[in-house]
Amino acid sequence: MSNSAAERVPGPTRARGSYWLGKGWDWFVEDVGVYLLVGFLAVLVLTLSQGLFYGPAIALTAAVGLRRVRDGKVDPAAEAPSWTVRLQEDLNATLSAFLPTFLSGLLILLFSAVGLVFLIVPGVVIFSMYLFTFHFILDQGQDFWQAMESSRRLVARDYFGFSVFTLLLVGINLLGILFFFIGSIFTIMISMLAVTAAYRDCQGTEPEPEPAQLPAAPIVIE
């Protein structure tokens, strides 16, 4: 996969932060139990590692979001793998990409911290540039630096819009921190589902709207 792959994919050229947040919330309430478990695991890893394993922890939430994009809403009546099987597969996918997600996570935190030294805005812009790094690693098998470059090229379509989207995500997670551990479990998953919705949208894989159903019988206007 070329580093310029993100430039060639179709999709919106402007960020749609409120739409993506709404989509992330819709996905979250579809399968809230599983997403809360994943959020718990991510926050637990972040807490115990003091942020050192930021990359793998966030990559797990991205893997679960990518599965939602790939499989769609799970129909309980259909013969689909159980949530434990799906979660195990997502864990395996995250562990198999441990090194690139770990390295990219460290670089993202380092670059963002340097940006924050020069005021908040540069730090937010830098963080927004690498929003999709873990999605490129897990979805397209890119290495850590290639994935970071792909994310940067994608965000370059609308630096301002993606920075505002990032600020919204930061604000949501700050609210989660106010409610300590439990609040963060909710907000980290909602945020990453929103980022996954943005990734899907920017890759041009937004599903076409279903055609309107025609009435079975002609409509008579009296």
Side-chain angles (χ1 to χ4, degrees), residues 44-73:
L44 182 65
V45 170
L46 286 171
T47 303
L48 294 179
S49 68
Q50 296 295 303
L52 181 63
F53 291 155
Y54 165 80
I58 301 303
L60 174 60
T61 64
V64 175
L66 288 169
R67 174 179 289 279
R68 170 59 182 78
V69 171
R70 183 174 66 251
D71 297 346
K73 183 177 180 180

Side-chain angles (χ1 to χ4, degrees), residues 1 42 118 166 184 212:
M1 184 68 63
F118 295 97
T166 300
S184 296

Side-chain angles (χ1 to χ4, degrees), residues 5-77:
E7 295 178 321
R8 299 197 302 269
V9 296
T13 57
R14 308 291 294 181
R16 303 195 291 173
S18 59
Y19 170 78
W20 294 331
L21 280 170
K23 185 65 68 174
W25 171 257
D26 290 342
W27 290 351
F28 179 78
V29 298
E30 282 179 3
D31 204 358
V32 62
V34 173
Y35 291 139
L36 285 178
L37 175 59
V38 175
F40 171 80
L41 292 175
V43 172
L44 182 65
V45 170
L46 286 171
T47 303
L48 294 179
S49 68
Q50 296 295 303
L52 181 63
F53 291 155
Y54 165 80
I58 301 303
L60 174 60
T61 64
V64 175
L66 288 169
R67 174 179 289 279
R68 170 59 182 78
V69 171
R70 183 174 66 251
D71 297 346
K73 183 177 180 180
V74 177
D75 182 0

Side-chain angles (χ1 to χ4, degrees), residues 12-197:
T13 57
R14 308 291 294 181
R16 303 195 291 173
S18 59
Y19 170 78
W20 294 331
L21 280 170
K23 185 65 68 174
W25 171 257
D26 290 342
W27 290 351
F28 179 78
V29 298
E30 282 179 3
D31 204 358
V32 62
V34 173
Y35 291 139
L36 285 178
L37 175 59
V38 175
F40 171 80
L41 292 175
V43 172
L44 182 65
V45 170
L46 286 171
T47 303
L48 294 179
S49 68
Q50 296 295 303
L52 181 63
F53 291 155
Y54 165 80
I58 301 303
L60 174 60
T61 64
V64 175
L66 288 169
R67 174 179 289 279
R68 170 59 182 78
V69 171
R70 183 174 66 251
D71 297 346
K73 183 177 180 180
V74 177
D75 182 0
E79 292 185 2
S82 67
W83 69 268
T84 53
V85 172
R86 288 180 281 131
L87 181 57
Q88 182 62 50
E89 291 176 354
D90 294 334
L91 285 168
N92 290 338
T94 305
L95 289 174
S96 66
F98 179 85
L99 184 58
T101 59
F102 175 73
L103 293 175
S104 59
L106 288 181
L107 288 177
I108 291 170
L109 292 178
L110 176 61
F111 293 167
S112 300
V114 171
L116 288 173
V117 170
F118 295 97
L119 295 177
I120 293 176
V121 172
V124 171
V125 173
I126 291 173
F127 193 76
S128 70
M129 288 165 51
Y130 302 117
L131 275 180
F132 307 105
T133 298
F134 306 115
H135 293 79
F136 279 107
I137 291 174
L138 296 170
D139 187 43
Q140 301 188 25
Q142 298 185 4
D143 62 39
F144 75 97
W145 187 254
Q146 184 182 19
M148 292 176 68
E149 280 294 287
S150 294
S151 179
R152 181 187 63 79
R153 292 173 188 274
L154 191 155
V155 172
R157 298 175 180 179
D158 183 11
Y159 276 124
F160 177 78
F162 280 103
S163 295
V164 172
F165 177 50
T166 300
L167 275 176
L168 290 173
L169 298 178
V170 170
I172 290 172
N173 283 280
L174 286 177
L175 287 176
I177 292 174
L178 291 178
F179 292 94
F180 302 102
F181 189 81
I182 296 178
S184 296
I185 293 172
F186 283 83
T187 58
I188 195 171
M189 268 314 308
I190 295 172
S191 297
M192 283 309 296
L193 288 172
V195 173
T196 303

